[in-house]
Amino acid sequence: MGYKNEKLKEEKVFKDPVHRYIHVRDKVIWDIIGTREFQRLRRIKQLGTTYLVFHGAEHSRFQHSLGVYEIVRRIIDDGFSGRPEWDEEERLVTLCAALLHDLGHGPFSHAFENVFDLDHEVFTQKILLGDTEVNTILRKVSEKFPQKVADVIGKTYPDKLVVSLISSQIDADRMDYLQRDAYYTGVSYGHFDMERILRVMRPAEDQAVVKSSGMHAVEDYIMSRYQMYWQVYFHPVSRSAEVILTKVLHRAKYLFEKGYHFKQDPVHFHTFFNREFLLEDYIALDEGIITTYFQMWTKETDWILRDLSKRFLNRQLFQYVEFNPAKEYKKLNELEQLFKDADLNPEYYLVVDSSSDLPYDFYRPGEENERLPIFLQMPNNELREISRSSDVVDAISGKRRTDHKLYFPADILLRDKEKNPLYKKIYDMLTN
Amino acid sequence: MLQEHAKIVQFISLAQEVTGRKKLQKMIFIAKKMNFPFAEKFQLHMYGPYSEELTLRVEELCEMGFLNEECMDKGSYVQYKYDVSPEGKRFLETTTQESNELQGFIEKMQVKTSRFLELVSTLLYFDDLEKDEQIEKVHIVKNKLKFTETEMNDAFDFIHQLQEVAAS
């Protein structure tokens, strides 16, 4: 028996608030969890700035990664194993991909990626394939094993069924994050009958499908996802924090490029500002480091960096108004000019932020929706796309909802409106 | 402020019109790979590199009235055609535009089929790999399209042409 099939002498379990227990028998999985790259995920929050709105949302990507692994393990070991459509040889690569699918996320992932033009999926691949502890473990299985795991996560693996368990419209990733994020935010949306879905999930040629008797559980899952996006993930106050976080990083980068003398040299950012960073620089970052710099930047002489850092740390967020780009883009140009005239840099203090979600969609011939549909397996084994059977899913299929908001520092405008009449004009224009 | 929106409007304006959502996706991806500064992130999907952000941006631009979207019934499928509306042209005048160097690239891509652009963009998606590995990857992820050796060679020649123009 090689390392690939090596089992721990005794099963290890992690206590988990969502799945009760996460079970580990495979030595490879246990060893991966112990690597520094995987442990780093403990220091990266799953929901970024959402904790500033839902104070419970301090959970980490480490927890979510274990959760996705556990769901996939249950699908395979309790549902797929022994069925002719499932190749048992794919078990380990699928479990590893589930565990490692978010490995490349950086601190405050979306803001950080936006400012430094990075892609966490690229870093997941680099960590899997580079000179890392995770790569060493995976190579012990076989020389090609790291690439296989990377291919599953990158959706280029030949066995599409394996890919669909990690990435599709009903995958283990979504099933974990909806429930976990609902639990930690304390909201009542996000819950659905996962036990039922797992019981009725079946392996098919190119993807996992659901027995038709599980249709209502899937409807509930899709609606849960819809509600979580609009009630939690796109919460406008959380978006305000994200806007400010992004602008702090933009300002620090701008100042560095202009040769500004920081009171505390931002050494951890140097290679990112210069775009010369190595994988090791990326792995070394976590949210503790970022917020430590934010603390230091509250003492900087640059007013914008100081103000934005304080705002983020002390939750003095921007106010927002609804914004319709189609009708108001000329007003936006006017506002930008007024901000400049009032000595408020619009690049940092007048920000359009857009949120959009498509709760479910399916492939229509000739169209480029690119989404793998959810198929129901009918009693005669025919596969039927779910919206053909479900009125609930049909009602929301292909319906994208988009929302634009304009963020600005209402506190400054209101506080100093007597001193600066332009502030009053701007405030009135924004709020009327 | 709406600079990323403006880049897409300008792209379609330079192309005069783009027929097919897939074609638009692939053209923008290829342009991005040739170092034109599009911000949309792409991932590998059913038809090769695809950007949800770009889909969203185009939908927004249609809602905003800056792009016209015409749905054409082709019998067994529908196809979408995009061009810039008069309001979109006025919007472009209010924004800073990227260089017109893009036009030459667009002209080269416009005359190619969606299938060919799908192949080119998928090869470019794997451009960190050696040529043999790129071809192998395309055969794995696009096994149902059964690209021929001639098509592969044409795609590499096309990429080379684009890279030469980009470097000049």
Side-chain angles (χ1 to χ4, degrees), chain B residues 7-21:
Chain B
K7 286 178 192 169
I8 305 301
V9 179
Q10 190 201 4
F11 186 95
I12 294 172
S13 169
L14 290 171
Q16 296 188 356
E17 64 177 41
V18 177
T19 303
R21 289 177 174 175

Side-chain angles (χ1 to χ4, degrees), chain A residues 144-160:
Chain A
K144 289 191 172 169
F145 195 65
Q147 186 63 57
K148 286 175 78 173
V149 176
D151 287 347
V152 175
I153 296 171
K155 305 184 199 75
T156 63
Y157 195 64
D159 189 332
K160 300 299 176 204

